[in-house]
């Protein structure tokens, strides 16, 4: 049982273990103090697998069609970054490659590893280390950063040619929605609960409130 102070009225109270889908409310003011998500990890896994498929589509199908001086061409995200590099915009090329390809790929791989590793509890100790590491990497795997990378790519390429959105562009849009859904669904607390410490003890409980 953990002791928490109600964020609304400061009443100190103990929260009993909750059933899946259960909620604990403050007896004095009715503020929700804790929730126990249903199948949080399974849903996060389903979303992450979908994101992996959409990521592959986003990176293999044309991001946009280009037409310049009567010639037609199409490019993928990586192809676009490569073109920028060739044309002397090395810094932009690296930013686009990192934000739009490397960071999201890393995020998907990390989520898949953690979510698959905790399916058979107790989860290996390394999962706890990974979660900690991922926490420091999180600002880089945000979809806003990816969006920024794509936008920079678009603006730079639009300077050179007329741009029409391709399948890859719609896939990127879908990926941004999926990433947001994963972040809402995934509760690291659920993973911590399943991590077995090297000494055989359960990990210390972390409270979200502090
Ligand atoms: Zn209260």
């Amino acid at each position: 049982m953990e002791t928490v102070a109600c964020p609304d009225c400061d009443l100190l109270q103990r929260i009993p273990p909750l059933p899946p889908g259960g909620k604990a409310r403050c007896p004095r003011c009715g503020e929700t103090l804790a929730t126990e998500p249903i199948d949080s990890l399974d849903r996060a896994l389903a979303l992450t697998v979908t994101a992996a498929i959409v990521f592959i589509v986003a990176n293999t199908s044309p991001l946009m069609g280009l037409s310049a001086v009567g010639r037609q061409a199409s490019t993928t995200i990586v192809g676009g970054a490569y073109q920028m590099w060739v044309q002397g915009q090395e810094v932009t090329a690296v930013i686009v490659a990192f934000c739009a390809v490397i960071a999201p790929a890393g995020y998907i791989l990390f989520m898949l590893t953690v979510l698959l590793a905790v399916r058979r509890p107790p989860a290996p100790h390394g999962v706890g280390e990974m979660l900690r590491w991922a926490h420091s990497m999180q600002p880089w795997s945000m979809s806003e950063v990816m969006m920024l990378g794509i936008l920079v790519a678009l603006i730079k390429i639009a300077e050179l040619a007329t741009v029409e959105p391709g399948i890859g562009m719609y896939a990127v849009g879908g990926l941004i929605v999926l990433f947001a859904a994963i972040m809402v669904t995934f509760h690291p607390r659920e993973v911590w609960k399943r991590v077995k410490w090297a000494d055989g003890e359960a990990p210390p409980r972390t409270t979200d409130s502090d």
Side-chain angles (χ1 to χ4, degrees):
M1 293 229 276
E2 52 186 323
T3 308
V4 296
C6 173
D8 207 39
C9 72
D10 285 339
L11 180 67
L12 273 177
Q13 47 210 306
R14 286 180 186 283
I15 298 178
L18 299 171
K23 264 187 190 177
R25 285 184 195 281
C26 173
R28 187 152 75 187
C29 70
E31 175 85 9
T32 303
L33 297 175
T35 53
E36 192 68 29
I38 313 168
D39 295 339
S40 147
L41 294 177
D42 283 347
R43 286 185 196 177
L45 181 62
L47 286 167
T48 307
V49 170
T50 314
I53 295 165
V54 175
F55 178 79
I56 292 166
V57 172
N59 277 283
T60 50
S61 47
L63 184 64
M64 50 205 142
L66 303 172
S67 51
V69 277
R71 286 195 303 168
Q72 285 280 336
S74 65
T75 183
T76 58
I77 299 173
V78 174
Y82 175 72
Q83 279 304 317
M84 285 176 221
W85 182 277
V86 167
Q87 291 177 4
Q89 301 175 336
E90 286 93 351
V91 176
T92 320
V94 169
I95 292 171
V96 168
F98 182 79
C99 296
V101 183
I102 298 166
Y107 181 71
I108 291 171
L109 273 180
F110 158 77
M111 287 298 289
L112 278 180
T113 311
V114 168
L115 290 170
L116 288 174
V118 296
R119 280 186 79 77
R120 255 181 289 151
H125 183 224
V127 170
E129 292 299 321
M130 279 189 74
L131 262 186
R132 243 187 235 123
W133 173 80
H135 192 70
S136 57
M137 280 293 289
Q138 205 168 22
W140 295 106
S141 46
M142 296 302 266
S143 46
E144 290 89 338
V145 176
M146 182 171 72
M147 194 65 209
L148 190 72
I150 298 286
L151 274 179
V152 171
L154 269 184
I155 292 164
K156 286 292 173 188
I157 291 170
E159 286 172 4
L160 310 168
T162 312
V163 175
E164 291 157 26
I167 297 167
M169 185 65 72
Y170 297 108
V172 168
L175 206 53
I176 288 167
V177 174
L178 278 166
F179 275 14
I182 291 170
M183 283 170 198
V184 170
T185 314
F186 178 63
H187 299 279
R189 220 162 64 98
E190 291 293 297
V191 173
W192 284 116
K193 270 192 221 164
R194 300 185 189 202
V195 173
K196 195 182 167 87
W197 251 216
D199 56 10
E201 285 196 13
R205 292 203 68 156
T206 48
T207 47
D208 300 327
S209 50
D210 48 54

